[in-house]
Amino acid sequence: MKNIITIGASTSKKSINKIFVEYTGGLLRDVEVINIDLNDFEMPLFSVDVEKEKGFPKGATDLNAVIEKSDGFIISFAEHNGAYSAAFKNAFDWLSRINSKVWRDKPMLLLATSPGVRGGKSVLEMAIARFPFNGGKVVGSMSLPSFSDNFKGGDLVDDKLKSNLIKLVKDFQKAI
């Protein structure tokens, strides 16, 4: 059975990106979905000096081991000032030092959502452009605008957005 990792790229306890990515992972069939919480992988701020003095932190090596066993990734990005959350960027920096091909040439479905009408488009565009350089095979992406208007009662309520997401999940499933 294939192992798919979902990451809500935020450390917020009430992260809408974590809700969105886990919902999306739940649409997959016949796979094991591993929901990653960045809070479970503690790491100091990345620094070449820290790496030289102490090596890789346990949180980074543990997360790398989970990534190594994965067959694909679904990530939903919280947007902080148009970019990755500090926690995700820090984990990404550590992981790229362990293996520059962080995503191991495996399929990825990239998502973002926010309370606003742009739905995290800036950070999503950044990830789409960046991740192929780090071994990501981006097979699809989606920005979900106005999360609280479009996601209610544990479900995506806008028919057009839901149809688009289901198509993306099917394409991702074929790619894995």
Side-chain angles (χ1 to χ4, degrees), residues 20-116:
F20 184 36
V21 79
E22 290 181 6
Y23 170 83
T24 303
L27 298 174
L28 293 167
R29 297 294 169 247
D30 302 318
V31 299
E32 181 180 351
V33 177
I34 301 163
N35 297 317
I36 296 294
D37 185 335
L38 291 177
N39 291 303
D40 295 335
F41 299 91
E42 192 172 313
M43 297 171 225
L45 286 176
F46 174 76
S47 162
V48 291
D49 295 331
V50 171
E51 180 184 346
K52 184 177 179 181
E53 292 170 19
K54 299 180 181 179
F56 299 120
K58 183 177 182 333
T61 58
D62 288 351
L63 182 54
N64 185 66
V66 174
I67 287 172
E68 186 66 40
K69 296 176 185 174
S70 176
D71 297 299
F73 307 91
I74 305 174
I75 303 174
S76 188
F77 296 95
E79 186 174 273
H80 292 192
N81 297 313
Y84 307 118
S85 69
F88 179 81
K89 178 67 166 84
N90 189 54
F92 183 53
D93 288 345
W94 277 113
L95 290 167
S96 71
R97 296 294 286 192
I98 295 170
N99 183 336
S100 65
K101 296 288 186 183
V102 174
W103 310 116
R104 312 304 200 272
D105 296 318
K106 296 178 182 171
M108 305 186 84
L109 176 56
L110 301 181
L111 310 169
T113 191
S114 76

Side-chain angles (χ1 to χ4, degrees), residues 16 113-116 144-153 155-157:
I16 59 177
T113 191
S114 76
L144 177 63
S146 306
F147 181 81
S148 61
D149 293 335
N150 290 309
F151 196 91
K152 296 180 181 183
D155 199 7
L156 198 49
V157 296

Side-chain angles (χ1 to χ4, degrees), residues 112-159:
T113 191
S114 76
V117 295
R118 286 190 37 84
K121 281 186 181 181
S122 295
V123 70
L124 185 58
E125 290 168 356
M126 181 184 300
I128 291 166
R130 176 74 240 159
F131 284 4
F133 295 101
N134 296 96
K137 295 191 180 260
V138 180
V139 298
S141 65
M142 178 179 169
S143 167
L144 177 63
S146 306
F147 181 81
S148 61
D149 293 335
N150 290 309
F151 196 91
K152 296 180 181 183
D155 199 7
L156 198 49
V157 296
D158 181 286
D159 291 337

